[in-house]
Amino acid sequence: MFLMKDIVRDGDPVLRQEAADVAFPLSAEDQQLAKDLMEYLVVSQDPEQCKKYGLRAGVGLAAPQVGVSKKMASVLVPAPEEGGKSPFTDVIINPVIVSESVQAGALTEGEGCLSVDKDVPGFVPRHDRITLRYFDVNGEKHQVRLKNYPAIVCQHEIDHLHGMLFYDHINKDHPFETNEDMIMIE
Ligand SMILES: O=CN(O)C[C@@H](CC1CCCC1)C(=O)N1NCCC[C@H]1C(=O)Nc1ccccn1
Ligand code: NI
């Protein structure tokens, strides 16, 4: 199981590399990695377990963040209401955004990252809607259309696989600049 000590922090070159494609069928090692990446999110989103293991709760975790430069990331978008269904949960492998809205979207709270210990204020403009193509751990191909928060989370994770961090997208001079066409996501 991954703990905070296993999470690589900004400054480590692995976070700025283009990660490698994952080969199928998954090696035993890559199967374990996929399990561990998802387990971190499940445990961290359980308040009791989160506290017990001293974790920062997360909704996504990319392999480079645990020092593995491979195109794999876990995503666990919490259910909007108690007992509801998660809008998107999977381990995305060799993900590709095949289409994206012109319309931008950004989290009103800005973004953070488990690999970035400092707060970096500002809106992170992304695409409000994306069509995501990826493979799951069984090698099954998926194509999903996501919008708003789930789309933002997946874009944040896919950025990690290309050596990008959220603050790379923040406008240096006007960090909170928006245009009226930008969807602000609570
Ligand atoms: O690459 C992956 N990461 O860096 C983990 C990030 C991913 C999200 C940041 C913005 C979009 C995706 C993450 O989850 N966070 N960022 C730092 C601290 C907070 C935490 C978070 O948003 N937690 C959360 C939110 C809702 C419900 C439960 N927990
Ligand atoms: Ni991150």
Side-chain angles (χ1 to χ4, degrees):
M1 187 182 134
F2 292 130
L3 299 173
M4 291 312 291
K5 67 174 177 49
D6 302 308
I7 294 186
V8 165
R9 303 303 153 89
D10 194 1
D12 187 310
V14 74
L15 291 171
R16 291 304 188 174
Q17 283 169 13
E18 176 75 18
D21 274 344
V22 173
F24 284 98
L26 293 192
S27 63
E29 184 190 359
D30 285 346
Q31 286 176 46
Q32 188 58 52
L33 175 61
K35 275 200 194 88
D36 291 340
L37 288 172
M38 182 54 77
E39 185 190 38
Y40 179 91
L41 303 183
V42 171
V43 170
S44 78
Q45 289 186 23
D46 173 317
E48 197 181 314
Q49 295 234 52
C50 187
K51 193 170 160 62
K52 179 177 168 189
Y53 293 103
L55 307 179
R56 285 179 84 190
V59 295
L61 188 62
Q65 293 183 274
V66 290
V68 178
S69 195
K70 289 187 178 179
K71 285 195 159 63
M72 185 189 293
S74 57
V75 177
L76 176 54
V77 179
E81 72 288 327
E82 213 30 50
K85 182 170 174 294
S86 163
F88 186 70
T89 298
D90 214 345
V91 176
I92 59 176
I93 300 171
N94 302 337
V96 174
I97 294 176
V98 294
S99 72
E100 54 205 17
S101 63
V102 170
Q103 186 164 37
L107 299 186
T108 54
E109 307 292 311
E111 293 186 15
C113 182
L114 296 179
S115 296
V116 178
D117 291 328
K118 61 182 182 185
D119 279 341
V120 185
F123 294 137
V124 181
R126 296 187 186 277
H127 301 285
D128 183 56
R129 295 173 298 285
I130 61 171
T131 300
L132 167 63
R133 188 177 293 167
Y134 70 93
F135 294 88
D136 65 21
V137 292
N138 302 313
E140 296 292 316
K141 192 172 191 176
H142 296 259
Q143 180 157 313
V144 292
R145 296 176 64 185
L146 300 170
K147 67 176 181 173
N148 300 335
Y149 189 63
I152 299 293
V153 176
C154 286
Q155 289 172 81
H156 178 111
E157 300 316 321
I158 292 168
D159 264 359
H160 276 302
L161 308 182
H162 298 287
M164 295 282 290
L165 295 173
F166 73 93
Y167 58 78
D168 300 343
H169 302 283
I170 297 175
N171 183 315
K172 306 270 177 300
D173 306 319
H174 308 286
F176 289 98
E177 183 167 80
T178 73
N179 65 51
E180 68 286 346
D181 205 28
M182 191 185 279
I183 304 281
M184 301 311 295
I185 301 158
E186 295 296 331

